[in-house]
Amino acid sequence: MKKILLVLTLLLTLQFSAVSAQTHLEVNGVTVPRKIEYQNKTLQLNGAGGRSKMWLEVYVQALYLSQLSQDPKFIIDSDTEMAIRIEITSSMVSSNKLTKAMNVGFEKSAGSNLEQLRPRIELFKTYLSDAITEKDVFVLAYNPLDQTINVFKNEVLKGKVQGFDFKKALFGIWLSDKPVDETLKKHLLGI
């Protein structure tokens, strides 16, 4: 009887583990959902990876698309629903450090468009200015209907930034020819 109960317990545990593996992915200790809902559409996990600075893991990032792709140019130029999810994994990350990192990323990504985007970049950074703690989750979701980036922090909408050109520069931070982290780019593309 004990053996039967042990086998049943083991089978149930394995079954629940398989279900969890189908709905989530573990990346550097962070549970990343395989799908997210946005604008009444299901976006699928394209890829995920960790961002490190000076041997310190600072966040885990995931890319969600309505159409999976390993082509960074296609993703940047796509005018479809997509999202970036960033979960902070270090107490060393502050809003000041995050916005400085965004500045560097936009400088690499925007190129000659940087000055035209500057007012919207500054607006975007205000949505990241609240105190940041470990396990905070940011979702940067693109809505093609009004061509806005919607900035969520812990599922609360902080604000919107207008423009397809802004969307391209934002996603380009991680996916352009000059990404902030080449290894993270490959992880986001599922390569």
Side-chain angles (χ1 to χ4, degrees):
M1 183 70 172
K2 286 183 181 180
K3 286 182 182 179
I4 292 172
L5 285 175
L6 182 63
V7 169
L8 283 174
T9 303
L10 181 63
L11 287 174
L12 285 173
T13 303
L14 289 174
Q15 187 176 15
F16 285 120
S17 295
V19 169
S20 178
Q22 292 171 3
T23 60
H24 294 86
L25 175 71
E26 189 82 16
V27 179
N28 299 345
V30 172
T31 302
V32 177
R34 289 193 182 269
K35 295 178 181 181
I36 61 173
E37 296 295 320
Y38 178 66
Q39 296 297 109
N40 297 319
K41 294 197 177 179
T42 300
L43 301 180
Q44 297 179 48
L45 179 65
N46 196 71
R51 173 87 163 108
S52 299
K53 299 247 342 178
M54 294 188 280
W55 305 287
L56 178 68
E57 188 77 35
V58 290
Y59 60 77
V60 169
Q61 181 172 342
L63 174 64
Y64 295 88
L65 303 174
S66 53
Q67 179 181 345
L68 300 181
S69 176
Q70 292 185 329
D71 181 350
K73 183 161 177 30
F74 172 81
I75 296 167
I76 291 169
D77 292 338
S78 178
D79 193 17
T80 59
E81 291 85 359
M82 61 183 66
I84 290 172
R85 180 184 187 275
I86 299 172
E87 184 165 336
I88 305 300
T89 57
S90 170
S91 60
M92 301 297 288
V93 177
S94 66
S95 60
N96 189 38
K97 288 179 183 175
L98 185 61
T99 56
K100 281 183 181 179
M102 288 291 180
N103 270 340
V104 171
F106 275 115
E107 287 170 11
K108 288 181 169 190
S109 174
S112 61
N113 250 8
L114 184 62
E115 289 313 310
Q116 180 182 347
L117 294 172
R118 179 77 61 202
R120 288 178 281 164
I121 292 170
E122 294 305 316
L123 174 64
F124 173 73
K125 290 181 348 189
T126 66
Y127 302 145
L128 308 175
S129 65
D130 293 347
I132 294 176
T133 60
E134 197 172 331
K135 298 197 184 289
D136 277 345
V137 175
F138 292 91
V139 174
L140 313 173
Y142 176 67
N143 181 353
L145 298 176
D146 62 0
Q147 294 192 323
T148 58
I149 290 290
N150 295 260
V151 180
F152 297 89
K153 179 181 179 188
N154 301 326
E155 300 183 9
V156 175
L157 179 65
K158 302 303 281 181
K160 298 180 179 190
V161 181
Q162 194 72 40
F164 184 59
D165 56 344
F166 181 82
K167 175 263 180 190
K168 289 171 66 170
L170 178 66
F171 280 75
I173 290 173
W174 300 281
L175 299 173
S176 70
D177 293 336
K178 301 176 191 173
V180 293
D181 185 319
E182 191 66 47
T183 302
L184 178 57
K185 175 182 176 178
K186 288 178 182 175
H187 286 289
L188 294 175
L189 295 173
I191 297 174

